[in-house]
């Protein structure tokens, strides 16, 4: 049975034929009825094994177990893995494989006359001995020879003619300082080979004997295995990189660390090498190339680093050229050379590394350079700056970021009173961000803290090249100041590369290839393409390429500031800035028409990528007084700012540009004024009176020169609304008949909204909005679609069709988020949350409010955030959670302060306080403040909302008829009843119950006729 089980186990999971099993078990003497005999044996084996382990098929039997369950399979698998592994891993794998052996193969199986069985045993024994030899060889290479003397002595005694064990024991004895015993072992083995086999020792054993005689083998002290110096400072922030780089070096023979000056390439290489010393029998050696002049010989520097001058310390290297001597010295050694600072002689370093690796198979090279060596087999590791804290990170998180940790560590070395309070950590975070997380720059900054506070240092980094000059006296000259670090890289550039780098400094937030070609292309670079120069700058670590798809190029802040200095020094600043401005004016003007069409997402993404450049170009034009270019850019980029949620920035820049003096074409100036008007009149409660002067001037220029841009058609409407606030509808007629689809759709949307909110007239409002929606859909303008849907949703909600309204709000909010106008989606989601609550769907209400909060997370406008918190307070009050509502209102006050609250936020907050106040006098005071704020805004929907609150006050005061009159006035101001307002429904129901139907109807008619201001003042004065 043991023989049968062994035969099946040798091929786990596979069927073994009956003939092979019979041959294995009975060999030359099979039974007369071998089939039945085998079947009987299988049956007996099945009784002692778990059910189902032995399976039969048409040709034989199978052991149904996973291969890993069989020691022989696991042993052979581990040995196979070890063949391609590095010495340390190979030794561990072989040790695991050998641990599976318990003695001689098949020792418990007594088989006779079976050649198949005998051949298997012989094969397994040979594998076992070979694995022993391989494991011993791996340990020898790892410098563990002196620990193996006893084991190897036993192995040589068991296998005296296996020269591999003899060679290993000779090496082990030599490393243990027992060289004479090693020589005696060789002599004894030579005699035995001659006596037993009539043969001489192998060439390898003879070479080992010769090396012993020359004294080239012996004890290797740790001090002989590296020249890496002990560091005086801790290694901060890149612990993960150390292991990653060491792993690359283990698996690849040439690894190059690339990165900008001061990024920490040398320190990272040294730290990685230090962790590998136990796996490098012949050590790790730092070859400093910074002092080698261009055209110099790297080989001589390597010989010096290894301690090889005229004497052979690591091998037979007597005389000859430095490269030949070096190769002879390290040819058979498992050694790591760290070639540090290769960039200034990169071609010589590449040729050096290529030849050395080609002739020395156990050698590995770890290089540091600002650009790759560029030879076959090179693996690159980009040394990134230290991780920076996010701008919004709290002080504790900022303090734990790698860059700030390094600054704190080095700061503690120069003074002990730095502190770790929130202000200090925030200032440190600003310093590290300004220095791009570059380790050397941070260390130079820390040195300045001997004589400056952290806050002073943070404020003075605009002049970083003068400030950061306090490097170590023992550092390389180019590491003593930040300026010297960048000068070293600059000096290695060609004139064409310098020209491109200078011009790139005018960009902000990265640069596309097309922009770089237009702004940096110059006849001075004849014969060299900008793309090739960009590639060269990337390879030299002065430029970074970001993005998974089409790359964008950017510089670190330090490099950009340096390049800007060089640009001014070369007298090229104005032409470069004009070229930069011209490119982005053209780009924005090309994109602008598509922002009102289906292609808007693509073009919004394009402009978003260039957002910083557009802002920088415009600010530069404003500062220089380039009026025409500035206004052209405002006119082209204005709608992008509006759609993508950059309205504060758009307002600031458009006003600054439109205020410039100078000769500007009428339509260009009119368009800039129009963009100012769009920003000043957008948002609830804002109207054309806030932009009165801009509208009048825009209208004057349009009248004088005509217009081509579709948005300028609305200037006449705004001007008419200023002159005749109640007679503006006729101006819509030419707009609604315009050839431009967007103009027609926008005109219908505006007419419907203004007719209802300003005139209280519902005539054709729904038809206008439905047509506008259809035309916006035809265009694919998501902002227009959203605006129309939101207006229709408001109408549906007022009519009580809450579910349909929520569907419209959903589509409208989704469209807004697509174009990036998340701030506009906040109010839609908050409104959706309130309607879902009215529908009794708490889960949907909670989800909608959570979505509103997600939209708000990227918004910085306090008023917008306050509106959301007020909406949360309203919902909490309606849910019967007054304490929660009060907390939200307190948040609003803390967020804005009493003086900072807008009329909209004040009106709605005070309205809520009025509902929450139990004391009537307090409620009246809140209602009065809310009403005054709403009147100041002159926004009818808000006034209508406040009138409902005053109706609640009237009801609480027992003035039921007055409450009904106020509700009717609210509907008149709004232009339509609002069935989605639960307080209006509650007040109406309570008043009808008290008054009766007749009195209720009469009060409603009276409220429709009476002036709403008078009704409100009467109630508030009661």
């Amino acid at each position: 049975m043991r023989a049968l089980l062994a035969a099946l186990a040798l091929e786990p999971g596979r069927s073994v034929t009956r003939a092979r099993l019979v041959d294995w078990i009975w060999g030359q003497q099979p039974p007369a009825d071998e089939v039945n005999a085998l079947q009987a044996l299988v049956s007996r084996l099945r009784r002692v094994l778990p059910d189902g382990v032995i399976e039969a098929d048409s040709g034989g039997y199978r052991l149904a177990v996973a291969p890993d369950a069989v020691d022989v399979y696991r042993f052979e698998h581990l040995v196979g893995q070890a063949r391609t592994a590095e010495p340390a891993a190979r030794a561990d794998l072989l040790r695991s494989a050998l641990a599976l052996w318990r003695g001689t193969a098949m020792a418990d199986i007594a088989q006779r006359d079976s050649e198949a069985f005998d051949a298997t045993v012989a094969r397994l024994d040979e594998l076992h001995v070979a694995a022993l030899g391989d494991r011993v060889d791996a340990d020898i290479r790892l410098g563990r020879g002196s620990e193996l003397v006893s084991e190897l002595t036993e192995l040589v005694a068991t296998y005296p003619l296996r020269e591999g064990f003899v060679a290993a024991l000779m090496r082990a004895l030599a490393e243990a300082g027992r060289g004479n015993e090693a020589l005696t072992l060789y002599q004894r083995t030579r005699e035995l080979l001659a006596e037993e086999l009539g043969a001489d020792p192998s060439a390898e054993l003879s070479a080992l004997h010769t090396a012993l005689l020359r004294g080239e083998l012996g004890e290797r002290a740790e001090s002989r295995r590296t020249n890496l110096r002990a560091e005086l400072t801790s290694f901060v922030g890149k612990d993960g990189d150390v292991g990653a780089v060491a792993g690359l070096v283990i698996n690849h023979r040439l690894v190059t660390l690339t990165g900008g000056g001061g990024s920490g390439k040398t320190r990272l290489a040294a730290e990685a090498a230090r962790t590998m010393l136990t796996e490098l029998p012949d050590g790790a050696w730092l070859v400093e190339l910074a002092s080698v002049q261009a055209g110099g010989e790297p080989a001589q520097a390597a010989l010096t680093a290894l301690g090889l001058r005229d004497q052979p310390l690591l091998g037979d290297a007597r005389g000859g050229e430095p490269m030949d001597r070096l190769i002879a010295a390290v040819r058979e050694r498992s050694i790591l050379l760290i070639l540090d600072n290769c960039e200034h002689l990169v071609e010589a370093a590449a040729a050096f590394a290529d030849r050395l690796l080609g002739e020395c198979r156990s050698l590995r090279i770890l290089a540091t350079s600002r650009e790759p060596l560029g030879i076959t087999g090179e693996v690159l590791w980009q040394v990134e700056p230290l991780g920076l804290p996010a701008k919004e990170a709290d002080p504790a998180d900022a303090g734990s970021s790698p860059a700030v940790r390094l600054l704190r560590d080095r700061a503690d070395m120069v003074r002990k009173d730095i502190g770790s309070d929130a202000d200090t950590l925030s200032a440190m975070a600003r310093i590290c961000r300004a220095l791009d997380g570059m380790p050397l720059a941070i260390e130079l900054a820390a040195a300045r803290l001997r004589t400056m506070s952290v806050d002073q240092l943070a404020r003075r980094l605009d002049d970083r090249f003068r400030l950061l000059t306090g490097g170590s006296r023992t550092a390389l000259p180019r590491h003593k100041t930040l300026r010297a670090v960048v000068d070293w890289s600059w000096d290695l550039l060609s004139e064409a590369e310098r020209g491109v780098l200078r011009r790139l400094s005018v960009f902000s937030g990265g640069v596309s290839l097309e922009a770089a070609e237009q702004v940096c292309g110059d006849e001075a670079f004849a014969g060299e393409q900008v793309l090739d120069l960009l590639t060269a700058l990337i390879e030299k670590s002065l430029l970074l390429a970001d993005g998974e798809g089409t790359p964008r190029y950017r510089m670190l802040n330090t490099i950009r500031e340096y390049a800007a200095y060089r640009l001014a020094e070369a007298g090229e600043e104005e032409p470069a800035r004009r070229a930069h401005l011209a490119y982005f004016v053209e780009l924005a003007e090309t994109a602008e028409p598509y922002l009102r069409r289906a292609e808007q997402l693509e073009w919004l993404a394009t402009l978003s990528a260039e957002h910083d450049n557009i802002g920088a170009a415009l600010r530069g034009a404003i500062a220089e007084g380039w009026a025409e270019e500035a206004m052209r850019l405002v006119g082209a980029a204005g709608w992008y700012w509006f759609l993508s949620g950059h309205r504060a920035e758009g307002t600031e820049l458009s006003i600054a540009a439109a205020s410039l003096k100078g000769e500007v074409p009428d339509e260009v100036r009119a368009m800039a004024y129009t963009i100012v008007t769009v920003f000043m009149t957008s948002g609830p409660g804002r109207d054309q009176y806030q932009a009165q002067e801009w509208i009048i001037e825009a209208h004057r220029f349009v009248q004088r020169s005509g217009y081509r841009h579709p948005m300028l058609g609305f200037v006449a409407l705004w001007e008419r609304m200023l002159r005749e606030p109640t007679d503006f509808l006729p101006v819509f007629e030419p707009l609604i008949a315009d050839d431009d689809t967007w103009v027609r759709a926008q005109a219908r949307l505006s007419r419907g909204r203004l007719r209802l909110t300003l005139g209280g007239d519902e005539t054709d409002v729904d038809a206008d909005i439905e047509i506008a929606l259809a035309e916006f859909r035809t265009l694919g303008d998501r902002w227009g679609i959203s605006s129309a849907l939101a207006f229709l949703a408001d109408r549906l909600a007022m009519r009580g069709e809450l579910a349909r309204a929520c569907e419209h709000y959903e589509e409208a909010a989704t469209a807004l988020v697509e174009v990036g106008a998340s701030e506009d989606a906040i109010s839609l989601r908050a409104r959706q949350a309130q309607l879902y609550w009215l529908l009794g769907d708490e889960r949907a209400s909670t989800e909608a409010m959570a979505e509103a909060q997600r939209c708000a997370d990227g918004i910085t406008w306090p008023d917008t955030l306050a509106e959301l918190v007020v909406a949360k307070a309203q919902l909490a009050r309606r849910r019967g959670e007054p304490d929660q509502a009060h907390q939200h209102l307190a948040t609003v006050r803390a967020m804005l302060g009493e003086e900072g609250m807008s009329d909209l936020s004040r009106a709605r907050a005070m309205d809520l306080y009025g509902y929450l106040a139990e004391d009537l006098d307090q409620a009246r005071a809140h209602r009065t403040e809310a009403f005054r704020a709403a009147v100041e805004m002159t926004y009818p929907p808000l006034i209508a909302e406040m009138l409902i609150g005053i109706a609640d006050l009237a009801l609480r005061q027992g003035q039921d008829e007055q409450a009904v009159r106020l509700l009717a006035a609210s509907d008149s101001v709004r232009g339509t009843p609002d069935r989605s307002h639960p307080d209006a429904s509650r007040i109406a129901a309570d008043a009808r119950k008290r008054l009766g139907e007749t009195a209720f109807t009469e009060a409603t008619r009276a409220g429709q006729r009476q002036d709403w201001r008078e009704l409100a003042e009467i109630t508030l004065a009661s």
Side-chain angles (χ1 to χ4, degrees):
M1 284 197 302
R2 287 177 180 272
L4 172 61
L5 180 59
L8 294 173
L10 285 169
E11 298 190 51
R14 292 199 297 254
S15 178
V16 184
T17 66
R18 290 183 176 86
R20 285 180 58 195
L21 290 172
V22 169
D23 186 46
W24 169 273
I25 297 168
W26 289 288
Q28 302 299 319
Q29 300 179 8
D33 188 357
E34 58 187 43
V35 173
N36 285 332
L38 179 61
Q39 188 174 359
L41 199 60
V42 169
S43 297
R44 289 170 58 198
L45 183 59
R46 280 175 168 162
R47 285 197 291 271
V48 299
L49 295 178
D51 291 343
V53 172
I54 305 294
E55 296 180 348
D57 59 24
S58 58
Y61 297 94
R62 175 173 53 250
L63 185 66
V65 297
D68 280 348
V70 180
D71 286 349
V72 169
Y73 175 88
R74 291 168 58 201
F75 169 74
E76 293 191 67
H77 180 67
L78 288 167
V79 169
Q81 284 184 301
R83 290 193 187 100
T84 58
E86 294 299 315
R90 184 186 307 145
D92 290 339
L93 287 167
L94 290 169
R95 200 167 281 109
S96 298
L98 292 166
L100 298 171
W101 284 77
R102 306 288 191 275
T104 305
M106 310 291 182
D108 296 334
I109 302 174
Q111 291 295 96
R112 282 182 271 177
D113 301 322
S114 175
E115 292 181 4
F117 176 84
D118 292 342
T120 299
V121 171
R123 185 181 71 85
L124 291 174
D125 282 341
E126 180 58 29
L127 282 175
H128 180 229
V129 174
L132 271 172
D134 288 345
R135 196 224 81 212
V136 165
D137 179 69
D139 281 336
I140 290 286
R141 287 181 175 276
L142 292 170
R144 300 169 183 165
S146 59
E147 304 168 16
L148 302 175
V149 171
S150 296
E151 180 186 3
L152 284 167
T153 300
E154 185 176 341
L155 287 171
V156 169
T158 306
Y159 305 101
L161 297 179
R162 295 188 78 100
E163 291 184 69
F165 287 143
V166 173
L169 180 53
M170 289 173 65
R171 287 182 179 277
L173 288 168
E175 288 193 18
R178 297 157 64 178
N180 289 335
E181 293 180 52
L183 291 170
T184 300
L185 173 63
Y186 173 80
Q187 184 63 28
R188 189 168 65 241
T189 302
R190 186 174 68 82
E191 293 172 355
L192 186 62
L193 287 168
E195 180 181 336
E196 295 288 335
L197 304 176
D200 291 325
S202 65
E204 180 186 358
L205 205 60
S206 296
L208 190 61
H209 179 240
T210 301
L212 271 168
L213 292 173
R214 289 177 175 176
E216 293 172 359
L217 293 180
E219 183 178 6
R220 285 182 289 192
E222 182 67 23
S223 61
R224 291 265 327 276
R225 295 180 58 227
T226 186
N227 65 342
L228 294 172
R229 65 191 297 272
E231 297 291 350
L232 300 177
T233 57
S234 59
F235 186 66
V236 178
K238 287 184 177 289
D239 298 325
D241 289 3
V242 171
V245 170
L248 288 177
V249 174
I250 288 172
N251 293 304
H252 303 278
R253 296 186 61 215
L254 173 60
V255 177
T256 302
L257 307 185
T258 61
S263 59
K265 300 183 293 296
T266 300
R267 184 67 184 270
L268 176 57
E271 294 294 335
R274 218 182 306 278
T275 67
M276 299 172 60
L277 285 175
T278 58
E279 301 178 31
L280 295 166
D282 298 295
W285 304 82
L286 179 67
V287 181
E288 175 55 68
L289 299 180
S291 59
V292 178
Q293 298 296 318
E297 178 56 72
Q300 185 58 57
L303 286 169
T304 301
L306 290 164
L308 295 171
R309 296 182 186 277
D310 296 322
Q311 70 278 21
L313 296 185
L314 290 179
D316 189 6
R318 297 183 177 90
E321 292 297 320
M323 190 68 182
D324 295 331
R325 293 173 53 215
L326 179 64
I327 289 171
V330 302
R331 188 190 303 276
E332 302 299 329
R333 299 297 180 182
S334 294
I335 193 169
L336 172 66
L337 290 184
I338 304 170
L339 302 184
D340 192 32
N341 298 302
C342 299
E343 56 271 355
H344 64 300
L345 60 164
V346 66
E347 292 185 7
F352 170 75
D354 188 56
R355 183 180 172 192
L356 202 57
L357 291 168
E359 298 198 33
C360 306
R361 297 185 179 278
S362 296
L363 174 80
R364 298 176 185 282
I365 291 177
L366 176 58
T368 74
S369 178
R370 300 190 189 185
E371 64 177 303
L373 301 187
I375 61 177
T376 303
E378 180 183 30
V379 175
L380 300 178
W381 176 273
Q382 179 72 30
V383 180
E384 301 286 349
L386 291 170
L388 294 167
K391 288 185 178 180
E392 64 277 5
D394 60 43
D397 289 339
S400 63
S401 69
V404 176
R405 281 170 46 213
L406 177 64
L407 180 58
R408 293 174 68 186
D409 180 84
R410 301 305 191 256
D412 285 342
M413 296 173 69
V414 299
R415 57 188 291 183
K416 298 301 180 185
D417 59 344
I418 291 293
S420 58
D421 57 278
D423 289 343
T424 298
L425 292 176
S426 295
M428 284 186 166
R430 293 199 306 275
I431 291 168
C432 292
R433 281 194 290 266
L435 298 176
D436 307 298
M438 298 300 286
L440 179 61
I442 291 173
E443 298 213 18
L444 291 171
R448 276 295 185 186
L449 292 176
R450 287 191 293 265
T451 55
M452 302 176 72
S453 72
V454 175
D455 193 52
Q456 284 175 319
L457 179 61
R459 289 199 307 268
R460 291 176 179 238
L461 282 177
D462 286 344
D463 195 13
R464 68 189 69 190
F465 291 111
R466 288 188 180 181
L467 184 66
L468 304 183
T469 57
S472 169
R473 288 191 177 96
T474 61
L476 292 170
R478 58 190 173 81
H479 282 174
K480 290 183 177 179
T481 71
L482 187 61
R483 176 62 180 263
V485 171
V486 190
D487 278 342
W488 170 267
S489 294
W490 178 264
D491 291 341
L492 297 176
L493 299 180
S494 68
E495 191 52 48
E497 290 166 349
R498 292 175 184 173
V500 168
L501 192 66
R502 287 195 299 266
R503 287 163 174 77
L504 287 176
S505 69
V506 302
F507 288 92
S508 180
V511 53
S512 67
L513 174 60
E514 295 77 14
E517 287 176 330
Q518 182 162 322
V519 175
C520 300
D522 190 282
E523 62 276 5
F525 308 146
E528 291 199 63
Q529 298 294 320
V530 170
L531 175 59
D532 295 333
L533 296 169
L534 293 174
T535 303
L537 290 170
I538 290 170
E539 290 182 342
K540 294 177 180 179
S541 303
L542 289 167
L543 205 59
L544 302 173
D546 294 333
E548 295 180 0
T550 303
R552 289 180 63 78
Y553 310 100
R554 67 178 176 88
M555 288 183 281
L556 298 179
N557 292 332
T558 296
I559 303 300
R560 184 167 177 262
E561 185 176 321
Y562 181 92
Y565 165 79
R566 291 291 190 176
L567 183 72
E569 182 183 58
E572 300 171 349
E573 190 169 14
E574 180 171 338
R577 293 197 175 280
R578 281 195 176 276
H580 177 264
L581 175 61
Y583 176 82
F584 288 105
V585 169
E586 182 181 351
L587 177 68
E589 288 179 339
T590 301
E592 199 272 343
Y594 294 101
L595 299 181
R596 295 185 294 278
R597 305 177 193 168
E599 301 91 341
Q600 63 188 175
L601 294 186
E602 174 189 345
W603 283 97
L604 280 169
T606 297
L607 295 178
S608 179
E610 302 294 359
H611 178 86
D612 291 343
N613 277 311
I614 292 170
L618 182 53
R619 287 185 173 88
I622 293 168
E624 296 294 336
W626 299 334
E628 180 176 352
E629 293 91 338
M631 291 191 205
R632 281 179 61 193
L633 188 49
V634 162
W639 198 236
Y640 154 70
W641 289 321
F642 185 87
L643 289 182
S644 57
H646 298 288
R647 296 182 189 176
E649 182 180 16
T651 302
E652 171 204 343
L653 291 177
S654 61
I655 291 174
S659 302
L660 292 174
K661 307 297 182 183
E663 292 294 324
V664 178
D666 288 348
E667 186 173 354
V668 171
R669 191 175 284 277
M671 189 63 202
Y673 291 179
T674 297
I675 293 299
V676 172
T677 301
V678 167
F679 284 120
M680 294 188 71
T681 59
S682 62
R686 298 184 182 180
D687 58 40
Q688 68 276 11
Y689 293 101
Q690 293 179 294
Q692 181 169 317
E693 293 182 11
W694 299 103
I695 292 171
I696 292 171
E697 285 301 298
H699 186 257
R700 181 167 68 86
F701 287 117
V702 167
Q703 290 291 100
R704 191 163 75 182
S705 65
Y707 66 90
R708 289 165 295 176
H709 195 285
M711 290 183 70
L712 292 180
F714 291 88
V715 172
L717 168 64
W718 298 333
E719 193 273 340
R720 179 67 169 268
M721 291 176 69
L722 286 174
R723 286 190 293 109
E724 300 182 51
T726 61
D727 188 26
F728 55 83
L729 291 177
V731 184
F732 278 106
E733 296 305 324
L735 295 173
I736 289 172
D738 197 277
D739 292 336
D740 189 295
T741 305
W742 187 86
V743 172
R744 294 197 304 270
Q746 184 61 37
R748 284 190 180 275
L749 177 63
S750 298
R751 184 172 72 175
R753 182 180 287 131
L754 292 172
R755 173 175 268 163
L756 183 65
T757 57
L758 296 184
D761 181 6
E762 290 189 273
T763 306
D764 295 330
V765 167
D766 290 333
D768 268 347
I769 306 305
E770 292 285 1
I771 293 170
L773 176 60
E775 298 214 278
F776 281 131
R777 288 193 191 279
T778 299
L779 285 170
D781 177 7
R782 292 160 182 80
W783 181 82
I785 291 169
S786 175
S787 298
L789 283 169
F791 192 86
L792 286 174
D794 290 342
R795 299 279 291 155
L796 289 167
M798 290 177 186
R799 290 198 291 264
E801 298 181 53
L802 305 186
R804 284 188 63 202
C806 285
E807 291 173 2
H808 279 56
Y809 283 131
E810 181 68 32
E811 187 180 353
T814 300
L816 284 174
V817 171
E818 282 184 344
V819 297
S822 297
E823 65 185 51
D824 290 333
I826 295 171
S827 60
L828 301 187
R829 291 296 189 186
R831 178 65 170 150
Q832 203 180 24
Q834 293 170 339
L835 297 187
Y836 275 130
W837 178 79
L838 290 173
L839 287 167
D841 191 340
E842 281 283 357
R843 182 185 62 80
S845 176
T846 301
E847 289 178 356
M849 191 60 81
E851 191 61 38
Q853 184 59 58
R854 278 192 287 274
C855 291
D857 286 342
I859 303 301
T860 57
W861 279 30
D863 286 342
T864 301
L865 298 175
E867 287 174 29
L868 174 59
V869 180
V870 169
K872 290 180 179 179
Q874 289 173 332
L875 195 54
R877 197 265 301 179
R878 289 172 182 173
R879 283 175 171 158
E881 300 170 350
D883 291 343
Q884 187 67 41
H886 274 292
Q887 288 180 18
H888 286 311
L889 290 171
T891 300
V892 173
R893 287 193 161 184
M895 187 185 298
L896 299 178
E898 288 298 329
E899 299 300 321
M901 292 180 73
S902 67
D903 287 333
L904 178 64
S905 296
R906 184 181 301 281
R908 286 189 168 148
M910 292 302 111
D911 183 51
L912 261 175
Y913 276 123
Y915 283 116
L916 292 167
E918 296 181 3
D919 181 82
L920 278 178
D921 289 337
Q922 287 183 348
R924 186 179 301 107
H926 292 316
R927 295 284 179 215
T928 301
E929 189 171 353
F931 182 66
R932 299 283 182 264
V935 171
E936 282 292 319
M937 285 192 68
T938 66
Y939 182 49
L942 183 65
I943 293 170
E945 190 178 338
M946 298 305 105
L947 290 173
I948 295 173
I950 298 171
D952 176 73
L953 176 65
L955 191 71
R956 292 175 65 185
Q957 292 178 156
Q959 301 167 351
D960 300 333
E961 291 182 353
Q962 183 72 348
V964 176
R965 284 192 286 269
L966 285 161
L967 289 179
S970 172
D971 291 345
S972 298
V973 170
R974 190 184 303 104
T976 183
D978 184 1
R979 297 181 182 176
S980 68
H981 200 301
D983 291 299
S985 301
R986 170 183 58 81
I987 295 165
D990 287 351
R992 180 181 276 108
K993 183 177 180 180
R994 296 178 189 178
L995 293 172
E997 195 62 41
T998 301
F1000 183 89
T1001 302
E1002 289 178 358
T1004 299
R1005 288 173 182 161
Q1008 292 169 345
R1009 294 191 302 268
Q1010 198 166 350
D1011 181 81
W1012 57 266
R1013 292 180 183 80
E1014 182 182 344
L1015 286 170
E1017 294 294 350
I1018 289 171
T1019 306
L1020 293 172
S1022 299

